[in-house]
Amino acid sequence: MIYLDYAATAPLDEEVFQAMTPYLKENFGNPDSAHAAGRAAANAVAKARATIAEILGVTPLEVYFTSGGTEADNWAVRYLAKGNAAVSSVEHAAVLEGAKLREEGCSPIPTTRGGLVTADAVLSALTPRTGLVCVMAANNETGTIQPLEEISKLCKERNLTLFSDCVQAAGFLDLKKIATHCDAIALSGHKIYGPKGVGALVVKKGVALRPMIAGGEQERSLRGGTLNVSGIVGFAKALEKAQADRIRNAERVRALRDAFEREVTTVFGKSVTIDGENRLPNISHLTFETAPDALLAKLDLKGLCVSGGAACSSRSALPSHVMLAMGRTREEAKRGVRFSFGKETTEEEVERAVVVLKECIL
Ligand code: PLP
């Protein structure tokens, strides 16, 4: 099997696994319990929260643990700030679908053909009712990195709250810098070699946030539910490693990704398009001029694991909303394939992937 779908999820890092295991069995306490077992769990959560806060340059009280990126996105786009939400049209489904549930409504921000959400585009989408602007740090289908610094400037000038989904950016971009530009960011564990089902919404002090999940007094009474202690410990460790190693990891995957794209261009010539501009180093989204039906299934049969856009909509026959937003036709938007490279990808796998593509398409 050749796994080139690291943007969908990544395997658990060994050190992360080691950090988590004590909290699955021996230290199983509920962090809200007022006894020694509870305190041991609470201390582990406090340590993880402090680590994440330090990495992001925020205070621990600004970190809210969630069940992953989807929950963090939903929470932000539905319950952050007041007024209408201006939402980039290339956001992850968790943001786009979540925003549809926002009481005060939402409106789209258009993108360029390269998938870029410019500050001018944000400006054009604002109305007197806009209170929240949602632009992801980097796109999960094309890898396009958004100009958050400029967008942040215009939001600050107009007193608008800026939320950014940083789920894909966390492995490669400087989160501390991004956090200075935003009022809130969303993170997820499993894209950075951490556990699935855990993430965080980080909201700066003074920014209005209403609760989404009612329950106990966890997370300053804003998010009820017993905390996923082992998950939180693993998530903090994964984020620490991802940010410490991001430049080295980026260099390595960029070399593999660029070699892959050179080879694909040599083989397919003008019949393949590399989508997106200003991209993360790990993603290659390709649109083939002609692609056989069920291309992904054919690639899978030959052992190549990739996605047709976002993993969570890979089984859908619908065209990618990201490609549609980037001006592609419905037909073109169905012919995209996302390859994403990770820490364990080898040169041999990249070479073999091109051979498999050739066998399935030419
Ligand atoms: N946001 C982006 C950009 C993503 O790529 C993903 C995962 O596919 C999510 C949010 C959802 O995160 P999770 O899988 O942790 O719910």
Side-chain angles (χ1 to χ4, degrees), residues 1-9 295-308 314 337-341 345 349 353 356:
M1 182 179 94
I2 302 172
Y3 186 81
L4 295 183
D5 206 10
Y6 285 83
T9 198
L295 173 61
L296 291 181
K298 290 192 168 94
L299 297 173
D300 182 30
L301 277 175
K302 287 190 179 280
L304 182 57
C305 301
V306 293
S307 287
S314 262
V337 184
R338 179 188 68 184
F339 301 81
S340 46
F341 307 85
T345 308
E349 286 179 317
V356 170

Side-chain angles (χ1 to χ4, degrees), residues 7-9 66-73 90-95 136-141 165-169 186-191 195-199 283 310-312 338:
T9 198
T66 66
S67 65
T70 299
E71 183 191 326
D73 281 344
V90 289
E91 294 297 300
H92 188 271
V95 169
M136 69 207 312
N139 184 262
N140 50 300
E141 294 192 30
D165 173 332
C166 294
V167 168
Q168 293 288 341
L187 296 167
S188 171
H190 71 111
K191 311 285 183 176
K196 295 175 179 59
V198 64
I283 294 182
C312 45
R338 179 188 68 184

Side-chain angles (χ1 to χ4, degrees), residues 133-310:
V133 172
C134 306
V135 180
M136 69 207 312
N139 184 262
N140 50 300
E141 294 192 30
T142 59
T144 296
I145 301 166
Q146 304 300 353
L148 282 177
E149 191 169 349
E150 290 167 47
I151 295 170
S152 160
K153 222 179 271 169
L154 80 86
C155 288
K156 284 200 173 104
E157 283 163 8
R158 289 162 184 78
N159 217 8
L160 299 169
T161 299
L162 176 60
F163 164 67
S164 186
D165 173 332
C166 294
V167 168
Q168 293 288 341
F172 301 105
L173 304 184
D174 180 352
L175 284 184
K176 197 174 254 176
K177 195 163 159 210
I178 290 176
T180 64
H181 299 317
C182 302
D183 297 293
I185 65 170
L187 296 167
S188 171
H190 71 111
K191 311 285 183 176
I192 49 171
Y193 307 88
K196 295 175 179 59
V198 64
L201 177 63
V202 177
V203 182
K204 300 273 184 72
K205 194 166 165 253
V207 177
L209 176 69
R210 287 163 285 155
M212 180 168 74
I213 297 180
E217 291 176 7
Q218 292 92 353
E219 302 302 83
R220 278 79 74 208
S221 293
L222 287 176
R223 197 271 186 186
T226 303
L227 291 173
N228 172 2
V229 181
S230 63
I232 287 167
V233 169
F235 171 45
K237 187 77 194 163
L239 193 66
E240 202 179 354
K241 289 194 78 171
Q243 284 287 292
D245 301 340
R246 70 182 175 84
I247 293 172
R248 192 157 46 96
N249 289 340
E251 267 171 26
R252 192 176 169 278
V253 290
R254 188 189 300 281
L256 291 167
R257 194 268 313 262
D258 290 355
F260 171 75
E261 291 186 347
R262 271 196 305 275
E263 193 56 28
V264 163
T265 311
T266 306
V267 172
F268 292 92
K270 287 203 164 58
S271 68
V272 68
T273 310
I274 300 168
D275 302 300
E277 58 181 302
N278 192 34
R279 296 176 297 154
L280 287 178
N282 63 321
I283 294 182
S284 182
H285 189 284
L286 306 178
T287 301
F288 294 95
E289 205 169 270
T290 52
D293 286 343
L295 173 61
L296 291 181
K298 290 192 168 94
L299 297 173
D300 182 30
L301 277 175
K302 287 190 179 280
L304 182 57
C305 301
V306 293
S307 287

